[in-house]
Amino acid sequence: MAVADFYTKINLQYSSQLSYVSTRLSYSRRVSLRPLPRPHNSRICCSVTSKEAQAPVFVNTEDPRKKPDCYGVFCLTYDLTAEEETKSWKKLINIAVSGAAGMISNHLLFKLASGEVFGPDQPISLKLLGSERSLQALEGVAMELEDSLFPLLREVSIGIDSYEVFQDADWALLIGAKPRGPGMERAGLLDINGQIFAEQGKALNAVASRNVKVIVVGNPCNTNALICLKNAPDIPAKNFHALTRLDENRAKCQLALKAGVFYDKVSNMTIWGNHSTTQVPDFLNAKINGIPVKEVIKDTKWLEEEFTEMVQKRGGVLIKKWGRSSAASTAVSIVDAIRSLVTPTPKGDWFSSGVYTAGNPYGIEEDIVFSMPCRSKGDGDYELVKDVIFDDFLRSRIKKTEAELLAEKRCVAHLTGEGIAVCDLPGDTMLPGEM
Ligand code: LMR
């Protein structure tokens, strides 16, 4: 049989099996997407280089921690080593994304695949985690990725089992979470989503890269990140982030608007604390054109009241307009958050991220995930910024958001291995979208 014929045959076989698996799933509500049935427990791949098609190769996957399924054209293998030589490409990195069939991911995945996040010399593999309900949509996402012909996108796999999808992940972008339903108590939301993140923490601990960087986006993201890291004891707690970059971007935009400057002139913007309506956009340390904000915007009442509230509640106002949560700007802020870790922070500036508080220099309670100012050398790691100042207003606001996070932590004690949960959540605080 000619190589080309063989090649086509395998692809056809693959597609029909895939639709079979999808159909079966929709009828039998199986919990886990199993790899397609393959002879002798082997993974079938085809090899092509830019010049010629090679004979199909059989890769043994006897290892019980099997890789999740590759999708369509991404099942073809390629000679990355040769391409690395000619194009000076870096080593492939694996990026796992949960909630991959959702709106945020729909913006994010195409940015990741285009090279605008990790750079034009960084080939990537996307590992997409969906739910049983979203599996078909996830195939649609994978098809669109195929049709986009991104040169840097070398592998795509889809699945609904985090232990399969998170295998060898270098980055885990945890976006999928349940929204708060009508009549659901905040404690209920913490519990439902907490269980998802406890499970995903365990899966990361079992199968991800030992230095995986995790960005938790699904709300309530600070406490979800705490739950996740507690369930992943073999991964450094420092590697877990809760996304507060969207809040930082929102705060910069409002300060720029008030000062009548373009938003690139706003720097040193810290969001302290929780991604909720208690978060503290810090106008004391922020700068406009390198000058402290309070010297540029003299209206302290506006800063303390309108500005602060506008940032805290921006997500909710947006939901009222759109009828759904922010998606595009959230995806952009995930890109910003990753870029801040993989490129050196501009001298004198910093960025905000919700990170683990152990050893923090600000006197914030240990053992929670709290947004604080960070700087990075561009190696994926970060350090906390020491040269920040505090006044009474800032301190008292930080105390409030800290108290909220401590209460959330008590409420999920059953998911962090710290005993019996006690939910005494402050009644007046909400997620940004819960207005
Ligand atoms: C946002 O800040 O836009 C979202 O976190 C709001 C939400 O609750 O979904």
Side-chain angles (χ1 to χ4, degrees):
M1 187 189 307
V3 169
D5 291 344
F6 196 106
Y7 195 23
T8 317
K9 191 164 176 188
I10 284 174
N11 278 326
L12 288 174
Q13 186 185 350
Y14 178 85
S15 332
S16 61
Q17 281 172 340
L18 183 63
S19 57
Y20 168 68
V21 168
S22 311
T23 315
R24 277 244 316 254
L25 272 169
S26 60
Y27 286 109
S28 61
R29 300 185 57 78
R30 282 151 47 118
V31 176
S32 144
L33 173 63
R34 304 302 315 156
L36 302 173
R38 292 192 177 106
H40 316 303
N41 225 0
S42 293
R43 185 162 171 236
I44 302 172
C45 305
C46 296
S47 275
V48 279
T49 64
S50 49
K51 294 212 174 64
E52 59 175 337
Q54 296 176 351
V57 282
F58 291 83
V59 182
N60 191 340
T61 53
E62 292 293 345
D63 184 342
R65 302 175 315 164
K66 271 184 295 225
K67 295 204 170 205
D69 268 346
C70 51
Y71 188 86
V73 76
F74 301 106
C75 297
L76 304 180
T77 63
Y78 46 84
D79 191 350
L80 188 59
T81 329
E83 292 189 12
E84 271 166 358
E85 269 167 30
T86 52
K87 296 187 179 171
S88 326
W89 275 0
K90 296 178 182 159
K91 186 171 168 284
L92 183 88
I93 54 170
N94 296 314
I95 307 166
V97 180
S98 78
M103 291 289 289
I104 297 172
S105 298
N106 204 250
H107 291 277
L108 178 66
L109 294 173
F110 294 82
K111 290 176 178 295
L112 292 167
S114 74
E116 73 177 271
V117 185
F118 288 97
D121 55 352
Q122 178 61 73
I124 65 166
S125 156
L126 287 176
K127 296 161 158 287
L128 309 181
L129 181 68
S131 62
E132 202 176 316
R133 202 167 45 88
S134 71
L135 186 59
Q136 204 160 323
L138 202 52
E139 281 182 48
V141 173
M143 285 167 65
E144 284 210 86
L145 285 166
E146 282 186 305
D147 296 346
S148 301
L149 307 182
F150 288 117
L152 292 166
L153 181 59
R154 308 318 304 243
E155 295 176 11
V156 172
S157 52
I158 63 175
I160 61 173
D161 180 342
S162 50
Y163 282 82
E164 289 182 355
V165 176
F166 291 170
Q167 184 85 45
D168 299 326
D170 299 298
W171 288 82
L173 312 176
L174 305 185
I175 298 170
K178 285 224 162 30
R180 181 159 154 172
M184 189 191 284
E185 292 291 324
R186 190 173 163 80
L189 183 74
L190 275 164
D191 183 51
I192 285 189
N193 282 328
Q195 289 184 39
I196 295 172
F197 286 87
E199 186 61 16
Q200 293 185 355
K202 288 188 183 109
L204 288 168
N205 201 53
V207 300
S209 148
R210 296 303 77 190
N211 198 25
V212 60
K213 305 290 188 289
V214 184
I215 299 184
V216 177
V217 179
N219 280 321
C221 62
N222 293 57
T223 297
N224 288 341
L226 181 72
I227 294 168
C228 198
L229 74 86
K230 291 282 182 181
N231 283 279
D234 301 331
I235 295 167
K238 211 184 169 203
N239 290 16
F240 290 77
H241 298 257
L243 186 81
T244 53
R245 186 53 171 266
L246 178 57
D247 306 300
E248 174 185 328
N249 292 354
R250 288 168 171 167
K252 281 181 167 168
C253 182
Q254 294 309 317
L255 289 177
L257 208 56
K258 181 75 173 172
V261 298
F262 198 57
Y263 35 69
D264 64 340
K265 300 291 182 284
V266 186
S267 64
N268 304 82
M269 186 73 241
T270 312
I271 299 294
W272 296 94
N274 202 0
H275 176 67
S276 78
T277 55
T278 64
Q279 66 176 271
V280 189
D282 174 357
F283 53 82
L284 183 65
N285 288 286
K287 292 180 179 157
I288 296 174
N289 276 320
I291 302 166
V293 161
K294 287 184 89 174
E295 289 174 31
V296 179
I297 300 171
K298 303 257 164 61
D299 186 348
T300 306
K301 189 167 155 37
W302 180 85
L303 287 168
E304 289 183 355
E305 293 172 15
E306 268 179 72
F307 163 70
T308 300
E309 194 173 314
M310 214 145 35
V311 178
Q312 291 170 332
K313 298 189 173 168
R314 181 83 166 175
V317 173
L318 201 127
I319 287 173
K320 282 213 177 109
K321 303 268 180 207
W322 251 126
R324 57 150 177 81
S325 268
S326 57
S329 57
T330 305
V332 168
S333 73
I334 298 170
V335 169
D336 290 341
I338 298 171
R339 274 205 191 122
S340 290
L341 292 168
V342 298
T343 49
T345 310
K347 198 167 182 303
D349 201 359
W350 60 68
F351 59 91
S352 302
S353 189
V355 291
Y356 195 52
T357 49
N360 78 87
Y362 319 112
I364 291 160
E365 197 79 36
E366 304 262 321
D367 202 31
I368 49 179
V369 171
F370 201 91
S371 183
M372 299 185 279
C374 305
R375 252 196 284 266
S376 175
K377 294 189 181 77
D379 54 359
D381 204 359
Y382 64 89
E383 59 193 37
L384 293 174
V385 175
K386 295 206 177 63
D387 45 339
V388 287
I389 54 170
F390 297 92
D391 63 7
D392 290 346
F393 178 83
L394 185 55
R395 276 266 173 240
S396 69
R397 292 301 177 110
I398 286 178
K399 276 281 155 219
K400 184 169 181 183
T401 195
E402 180 190 57
E404 181 182 53
L405 279 167
L406 290 168
E408 287 189 13
K409 180 182 159 188
R410 287 191 291 276
C411 198
V412 298
H414 60 304
L415 297 170
T416 55
E418 279 153 31
I420 297 166
V422 179
C423 273
D424 54 351
L425 297 167
D428 62 336
T429 61
M430 296 176 281
L431 292 170
E434 282 177 348
M435 300 163 55

